[in-house]
Each structure stands twice: as C-alpha cells, then as structure tokens.
C-alpha cells in the first residue's frame, strides 16, 4: 500500500508540473497598444531613458518637440522645456500643449509613473533582451505590449522532430514521450529560447534513458549493474550537455523563470523515472513469496518519525505546486490607450466634434485639439481664437487702403480650413505626434484606461518551490541500494535461501 502511495505522489508531481507549465503562461497584455510604438511604463522615466538612449530613439517629454510661433519663424521646443523657456502665462502655451503630458503619465498600482514610447524597430524578444542587458528589471519598468508571436509553430516543430526520434527509440517509447512532454509544454511558456533547450532535451533524454534505465532495472533482477566504460562516458557526456544547456539558459533569465522551466521539466522527468522504478519494484514483490516478516534493525520511533516528515514534506510540496498559479500577482496599469469610435466617415466636422468631446472627458489630447493647435500657432500673429473652424471656413483680417482721398476697408483671407490642409497634416511622416491620433487614415481618440498586464512573480513562493524541488530531487533515488537485498533476489537465490532455511 505504501508503495502505491509513493508512486501516486510521483505521478501527481509530474501532472502538477505539466499543468503548471501549460496554465502558467504569463499574460502578454494588449497586442500593440500603439501600432508604431512600444509602451514602456517606468517608475523613473528619466533614468530609464538615459540608459536606453544610445540604442533607441525614445519619445518622451524630453524628446518630443512642439511647434510654437516665434513671431519671425516657428520654434521647436521640447515639451519639458516649454514652461522654462517661455513664461508659464505665455498665451502661446495653448490648451493642446498643456494636455500633452497626459500621454506620458500612468498609474502603476496607485503610484505615478512615466510612459516612454519606443519605435518598433526591434522585434519584441530583442527589445526584452535589451532591457535585461541594461539592467532594467520588472520592478523598474514594464514593457506593456510585447505582442509576442504565437509559440504554437515552435511546439508543432518540436512534435514533428520528436516523432522520428521516438520511433528510432529501441524500447521505452512511451516513457520517453512522457518525459519529453513537459519540455514541449515549456515552449509555450518561454518561446524561442526554450525551443532550443527543449530540442537539446529531445535528443539527450531518449538516449540517456536507453543507457541508464537498464542499469537501474538490473538491480531488481540480481544482474550485473556496472555500465561499460564507453556507455558510462556517453551517459556522462549527455547529462553534462543537458546540464550545461540548462545553466546557459538560466544565465539569461530570472531565477523564477528558471524554476518554472527548465528546472521543473527536468524534475518531472526524474519523477516519472522514479515512478517507473517503483512499478518494477512492485512487480518483483509480486513474483517473490516472503518467507518471514522483515524486522527492522532500527528504532520504530525513529523510522516512524522519518516517514512522518517525508509525508509532511510531500504534502507541503504538492500544496505549493497546486497553489503556485495563485502565487502570481497581476499588475494593474492605468495609462493612455487609443479608442476607436463609430465616426461618420464623410462628415469631418462631426467626426472631429465627437473626438473633441471624448478628449474633454479626461483633459486628454485629441486630433481636433491638435489641429486647433496647428491652426492657432500658424496664425498666431493674426490673433485667432483657440477653436477649430468648420471645414471650408476661413480666417480673414481687415486691410485698409487709401483711394480717392478715402480710407477703404477690405477683408483678406489669410487661412482656409480645406481638406488639403487636413490631409497634409495627417499624412506628414515627419510629425511624430500625429501617430497617436490617426492610424491608416482612421482618427482615434485617447483615454486613460486600466489594463491588466503580465504576472509579477512572487519570488518567495518560487524560492520555496525551488527548495522543495531540490529536496525532492535528492530524495528521488535514495533507498535503492538498501532495497536490493529485500527484493532483488532472483528465482535461483530464492530457492537457495529456502533450502538453507529448511535444512
């Protein structure tokens, strides 16, 4: 009965690891919040930007320049210097400029944070690697919209390669397949980097199993248990190769990620191997008839205490494994995101009015506010009101001239809101701010919305999880040497014992 309980615990451990790997895939957040920009939320935006600036052209209040009428020409002034280079009461600091900081502020779990925008010149994975190389961890900054590609093609590739490898396996195909299953599932969690490590395991584990399993099973059949030197060297080389691959992978990821994969996948394979040995132990016990009740030479109290401690450790371990997904915290961020509205396609005035009303709810910048800013700054010398005229409206000024001894007044048009003026602005590729208000010709609004991003590991849980796994790995094969004398007898030795005892 105890043997079945122990075997069941190893099976539960294996299943728990597989479920954890499959269900523990971290949330990736919204896919591409802004089509042309990554969104990086930082607790200290200035410090993060300084570390990333040599490699990346980051859009922030330090680098975003706004157009301000300089009377003789248009000036481009960084947003964070507007109120220092101009008087805070300068009327040229229009309402649009005052709402622009909205784009660069976020709420990170109740604390104010900075938002930096990074052009999508690098793939998402390379972007994450760059952040790690610069020493920017998840406690300092979060890359919100990673928009990783699907890992399903990598999993299918792994399965296609595994099929011929398992077919060529001389024996124990099912056991090999089950040992490789956690490695395949791990690709879903870690993607491309895990795929290379899983591919290494795919070629190492089946061959290593073919070498080691017969050696482990022979001790239950009273056979020679020494591996040939060539096989011993090959097994050591394979194990060293897999260990080196795991160590190299661990050097580039966090401790929590290493525990989740590949450490847990390796432990699941060991648990399955231990289960196989327990099955063989049970099979041999069924073949042999016990002559006498075995009597322990040790203290019953000491043995019972050890069994109690082992049972408690196993129970705590399973509890941690099953509760591990609950030990992950979701991070709430409140930051600017684009909003699509059902706009009348052919009525520009109504579309702009709807966008302006949306932005007014949170004092957020909007496309009509930006157009008004452009109109206001371009015609500042004519003292315009800060309000966007209707389509085909015009700005006119009074000119006076003398004719026939009289002073005549006439209105001259200095600006007209035409559709050409509008399209020239929204199609300007050099204007970095327009990307936030329109995409592929479709106007968008901006609101600050709470989104749930990723999962921040609770490192205490992961540490306990790793220590438990280490303890389980050490205990995994203990007791096999002493058990040989109890169940490792062949039929010939069994007959010899019976004859000597009945003599």
């Amino acid at each position: 009965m105890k043997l079945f309980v122990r075997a069941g615990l190893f099976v539960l451990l294996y299943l728990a690891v597989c479920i954890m790997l499959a269900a523990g895939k971290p949330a990736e957040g919204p896919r591409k919040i802004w089509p042309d920009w990554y969104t990086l939320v930082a607790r200290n935006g200035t410090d993060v930007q300084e570390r990333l600036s040599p490699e990346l052209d980051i859009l922030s209040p330090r680098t975003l320049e706004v157009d301000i009428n300089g009377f003789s020409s248009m000036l481009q002034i960084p947003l964070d210097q507007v109120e220092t280079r101009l008087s805070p009461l300068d009327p040229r600091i229009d309402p649009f400029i005052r709402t622009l900081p909205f784009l660069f502020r976020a709420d990170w779990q109740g604390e104010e944070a900075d938002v930096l925008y990074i052009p999508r010149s690098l793939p998402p994975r390379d972007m994450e690697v760059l952040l790690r190389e610069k020493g920017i961890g998840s406690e300092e900054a979060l890359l919100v919209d990673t928009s990783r590609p699907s890992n399903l093609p990598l999993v299918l590739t792994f399965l296609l390669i595994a099929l011929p490898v398992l077919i060529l396996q001389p024996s124990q195909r099912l056991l090999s397949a089950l040992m490789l299953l956690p490695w395949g599932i791990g690709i879903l969690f870690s993607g491309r980097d895990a795929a290379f490590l899983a591919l290494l395991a795919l070629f190492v584990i089946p061959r290593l199993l073919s070498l080691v399993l017969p050696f482990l099973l022979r001790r239950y059949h009273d056979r020679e248990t020494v591996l040939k030197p060539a096989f011993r060297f090959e097994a050591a080389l394979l194990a060293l190769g897999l260990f080196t691959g795991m160590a190299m992978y661990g050097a580039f990821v966090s401790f929590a990620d290493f525990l989740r994969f590949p450490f847990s996948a390796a432990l699941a394979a060991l648990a399955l191997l231990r289960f196989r040995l327990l099955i063989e132990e049970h099979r041999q016990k069924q073949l042999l008839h016990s002559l006498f009740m075995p009597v322990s030479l040790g203290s019953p109290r000491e043995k019972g205490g050890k069994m109690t401690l082992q049972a408690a450790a196993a129970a705590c371990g399973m509890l941690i494994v099953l509760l591990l997904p609950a030990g992950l915290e979701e991070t709430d961020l409140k930051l600017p995101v684009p909003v699509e509205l059902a706009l009348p396609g052919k009525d520009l005035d109504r579309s702009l009015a709807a966008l302006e009303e949306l932005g007014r709810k949170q004092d957020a910048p909007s496309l009509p506010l930006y157009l008004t800013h452009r109109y206001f700054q371009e015609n500042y010398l004519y003292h315009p009101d800060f309000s966007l005229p209707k389509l085909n409206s015009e700005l006119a000024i009074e000119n006076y001239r003398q004719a026939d001894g009289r002073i005549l007044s006439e209105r001259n048009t200095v600006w007209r809101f035409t559709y050409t003026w509008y399209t020239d602005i929204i199609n300007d590729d050099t204007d970095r701010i327009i990307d936030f208000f329109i995409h592929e010709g479709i106007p968008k609004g901006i609101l600050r919305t709470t989104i749930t991003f990723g999962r921040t590991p609770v490192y205490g849980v992961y540490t306990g999880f790793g220590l438990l796994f280490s303890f389980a790995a050490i205990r995994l094969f203990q007791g096999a040497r002493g058990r040989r004398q109890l169940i490792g007898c062949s039929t010939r030795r069994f007959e010899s014992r019976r004859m000597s005892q009945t003599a």
Side-chain angles (χ1 to χ4, degrees), residues 125-401:
R125 190 65 179 175
D126 293 346
M127 187 67 214
E128 294 173 350
V129 170
L130 179 61
L131 291 176
R132 287 200 297 267
E133 289 177 349
K134 297 297 182 180
I136 302 173
S138 59
E139 294 300 318
E140 294 181 79
L142 291 176
L143 188 63
V144 178
D145 51 338
T146 52
S147 64
R148 295 184 181 94
S150 173
N151 293 327
L152 187 58
L154 294 174
V155 177
L156 294 177
T157 302
F158 177 82
L159 294 177
L160 289 176
I161 298 176
L163 188 60
V165 172
L166 293 175
I167 291 175
L168 294 175
Q169 182 77 355
S171 61
Q172 304 294 336
R173 292 190 181 94
L174 179 60
L175 183 61
S176 298
L178 291 176
M179 283 184 167
L180 291 172
L181 181 61
W183 297 86
I185 297 176
I187 299 176
L188 289 174
F189 172 72
S190 300
R192 182 181 61 185
D193 293 343
F196 289 107
L197 188 56
L199 193 62
L200 176 64
L202 175 59
F203 291 102
V204 168
I205 289 179
R207 178 56 182 164
L208 195 59
L209 186 65
S210 299
L211 294 172
V212 174
L213 186 61
F215 168 74
L216 297 175
L217 292 178
R218 283 171 183 169
R219 63 176 63 242
Y220 297 111
H221 300 279
D222 192 35
R223 298 174 185 172
E224 180 62 39
T225 58
V226 178
L227 275 177
K228 294 181 180 180
F231 289 165
R232 190 183 309 167
F233 176 76
E234 183 182 357
L237 192 62
L238 290 172
L240 180 62
L242 185 58
F243 177 79
T244 304
M246 292 173 60
M248 292 179 63
Y249 179 85
F252 292 99
V253 299
S254 66
F255 176 68
D257 288 339
F258 176 75
L259 288 181
R260 181 174 288 275
F261 180 86
F263 184 79
S264 59
L267 186 68
L270 291 176
L272 202 60
L273 180 59
R274 188 68 183 93
F275 170 76
R276 173 67 180 86
L277 297 179
L278 288 174
I279 294 298
E280 188 66 24
E281 178 180 336
H282 173 71
R283 183 181 301 172
Q284 291 303 309
K285 280 186 175 181
Q286 295 298 316
L287 294 176
L288 299 177
H289 175 67
S290 179
L291 295 178
F292 304 102
M293 293 295 294
V295 178
S296 173
L297 298 179
S299 169
R301 179 176 299 178
E302 180 184 355
K303 183 178 179 181
K306 289 183 178 180
M307 292 297 293
T308 302
L309 289 175
Q310 291 178 9
C316 292
M318 292 308 304
L319 185 63
I320 290 178
V321 170
L322 294 176
L323 295 181
L324 185 62
L328 302 174
E329 295 180 350
E330 294 180 338
T331 301
D332 288 335
L333 298 174
K334 192 173 183 180
L335 71 165
V337 297
V339 178
E340 293 187 6
L341 297 179
L343 301 174
K346 297 182 178 180
D347 193 334
L348 183 60
D349 289 332
R350 289 178 55 193
S351 298
L352 295 176
L355 291 169
E356 187 175 12
E357 181 64 26
L358 178 68
R360 195 178 291 120
K361 293 179 180 180
Q362 295 186 354
D363 292 330
S366 61
L367 178 61
L369 205 60
Y370 177 62
L371 295 175
T372 308
H373 157 77
R374 291 287 297 266
Y375 156 73
F376 179 78
Q377 296 294 339
E378 290 174 8
N379 300 285
Y380 182 77
L381 297 180
Y382 304 117
H383 194 62
D385 295 330
F386 191 85
S387 61
L388 187 65
K390 300 293 185 182
L391 186 62
N392 296 322
S393 296
E394 58 185 28
L395 174 65
I397 60 173
E398 294 286 343
N399 278 345
Y400 300 93
R401 61 185 178 87

